[in-house]
Amino acid sequence: MFFKRLNYQSDDELLTLIRERDDSNAFKSLYTRYWGVLLDASYKRLKSIETAEEIVQEVFIDLYLRREEIKPKTSVEAYLKTAVKYKVFNYYRSQQIHLSYLNTILESEQIIQPSIEQSLASHDLHESIEKTLALMPEKCREVFVLSKFEQLSNQEIATRLGIAISTVKKHITKAYHILKINLGNRRHEF
């Protein structure tokens, strides 16, 4: 009942409750009120739901950690939207730095062609992994391939296969266990 009452309070009143009383219900109310709006704003810029969710989560974490010093000049909503905008800019900047670093490495030819021994070992490891994957139950193998080879998140796998995230995690754990048993000392190469 108290939480419902908070939904009718203004953003400034909720922020005051968070700041002065460390009120978790007031924080939940602000979180619920603005999560979707901020996620939408972040997603429009990033086109990645996972990254957008991480950014919005970071904004709310920052809000909570800095609750005592935050005093929005206009409104809490404007403050949160501006925070998302800056987090997105920082994300783009870090991506640019990463790409610049990779380009520098590629241009300076620091990438060395593997030796014949390394190529053979890699081929041998690949064959061992393929054989081990064939030993896995079908659903376990499918989840593992989607996770490690297609780089899908647990949420994306769960959605695609129509299973729970906890089931995805169990399949991945089981797959690693099977790999550990069958690859022995070579598992660190994978």
Side-chain angles (χ1 to χ4, degrees):
M1 183 68 168
F2 182 70
F3 185 65
K4 283 189 175 193
R5 218 176 25 195
L6 287 175
N7 287 329
Y8 299 108
Q9 290 186 299
S10 73
D11 295 345
D12 290 330
E13 291 170 327
L14 292 173
L15 189 57
T16 300
L17 287 171
I18 295 167
R19 184 182 304 124
E20 293 175 3
R21 297 186 190 162
D22 201 20
D23 189 322
S24 63
N25 286 325
F27 182 80
K28 287 176 192 173
S29 186
L30 266 182
Y31 184 90
T32 303
R33 192 175 289 178
Y34 289 109
W35 173 262
V37 172
L38 299 177
L39 182 62
D40 186 52
S42 182
Y43 179 76
K44 283 179 182 175
R45 292 180 172 111
L46 298 168
K47 303 297 184 217
S48 166
I49 193 70
E50 290 83 14
T51 306
E53 287 174 343
E54 287 176 21
I55 284 178
V56 173
Q57 194 69 27
E58 286 177 19
V59 166
F60 279 107
I61 290 169
D62 287 347
L63 173 72
Y64 184 77
L65 293 175
R66 298 180 51 231
R67 65 192 174 277
E68 293 175 7
E69 62 192 64
I70 293 175
K71 293 178 178 65
K73 293 178 182 166
T74 54
S75 69
V76 173
E77 180 178 9
Y79 171 83
L80 291 171
K81 286 180 177 179
T82 302
V84 165
K85 180 175 79 171
Y86 284 115
K87 290 278 186 192
V88 169
F89 288 151
N90 288 338
Y91 173 79
Y92 279 134
R93 185 175 39 217
S94 71
Q95 291 299 309
Q96 286 300 103
I97 291 168
H98 180 72
L99 288 174
S100 175
Y101 175 73
L102 290 177
N103 285 334
T104 302
I105 290 174
L106 289 173
E107 289 171 4
S108 66
E109 298 179 348
Q110 291 182 1
I111 297 178
I112 301 168
Q113 292 294 327
S115 68
I116 294 174
E117 295 83 19
Q118 289 171 327
S119 295
L120 288 172
S122 176
H123 179 72
D124 194 31
L125 177 62
H126 181 73
E127 283 182 359
S128 297
I129 291 170
E130 288 292 325
K131 288 177 184 175
T132 302
L133 287 173
L135 297 173
M136 293 180 188
E138 183 180 342
K139 192 60 88 170
C140 180
R141 177 178 55 246
E142 185 177 11
V143 167
F144 186 76
V145 167
L146 290 173
S147 174
K148 300 305 168 200
F149 297 120
E150 293 189 28
Q151 301 293 313
L152 296 182
S153 69
N154 289 353
Q155 178 63 54
E156 290 171 322
I157 296 168
T159 301
R160 183 182 282 189
L161 300 179
I163 58 177
I165 292 177
S166 60
T167 305
V168 170
K169 291 176 183 177
K170 287 178 187 175
H171 282 305
I172 291 172
T173 301
K174 183 175 186 174
Y176 274 122
H177 181 72
I178 292 169
L179 284 168
K180 180 179 178 180
I181 290 170
N182 289 287
L183 295 180
N185 293 334
R186 298 188 67 188
R187 70 182 182 276
H188 69 278
E189 297 174 42
F190 182 61

